[in-house]
Amino acid sequence: MALVDKVRRKLRVTYRDDEVDERIDEIMEQADLDLRSMLGISERSFTFEDGGTEQALFLAYCFYEWNDALDDFEVNYAEKIAKCRDRWLAVEYAQKATSA
């Protein structure tokens, strides 16, 4: 299932509407940028399509933004964000150490 379909399911949007589709696209674009920054994902080839904790955070971010509650997202998911960020920092460190 495509990521946009997973987001639509999370938001419980079962209908098609150009304005709604545009808002979902905007939310997904912002989620991608913000979560890459929050989680320390510098790997360009990474995609939130792959599942796992990153995708769960992506879907939650979209849900909170859809409901105009993004301020609560970082508070409610702080622990998960921190763990995921630590993992990405470790991956980046390992990659730098191997290439040095």
Side-chain angles (χ1 to χ4, degrees):
M1 180 184 300
L3 186 57
V4 68
D5 295 326
K6 290 178 182 180
V7 169
R8 293 179 69 82
R9 177 182 279 182
K10 179 75 174 177
L11 304 180
R12 291 185 167 80
V13 175
T14 59
Y15 54 91
R16 292 290 176 180
D17 177 79
D18 290 341
E19 191 174 318
V20 169
D21 292 346
E22 187 176 321
R23 180 155 185 242
I24 290 172
D25 289 344
E26 289 170 0
I27 289 171
M28 289 179 67
E29 184 178 324
Q30 194 60 51
D32 186 87
L33 294 171
D34 286 352
L35 285 173
R36 284 178 183 278
S37 176
M38 272 186 236
L39 303 177
I41 300 172
S42 58
E43 189 177 307
R44 293 255 184 235
S45 64
F46 174 80
T47 174
F48 288 97
E49 295 270 353
D50 295 334
T53 304
E54 292 86 356
Q55 187 182 85
L57 287 169
F58 185 92
L59 295 173
Y61 180 104
C62 292
F63 180 81
Y64 275 74
E65 177 61 18
W66 178 260
N67 290 291
D68 296 320
L70 196 54
D71 293 345
D72 296 327
F73 171 74
E74 283 189 65
V75 173
N76 293 341
Y77 285 88
E79 188 175 327
K80 232 178 208 182
I81 291 168
K83 285 180 182 178
C84 199
R85 181 172 178 79
D86 288 348
R87 188 171 62 250
W88 276 100
L89 290 173
V91 166
E92 187 174 326
Y93 177 78
Q95 288 173 343
K96 285 180 182 177
T98 336
S99 65

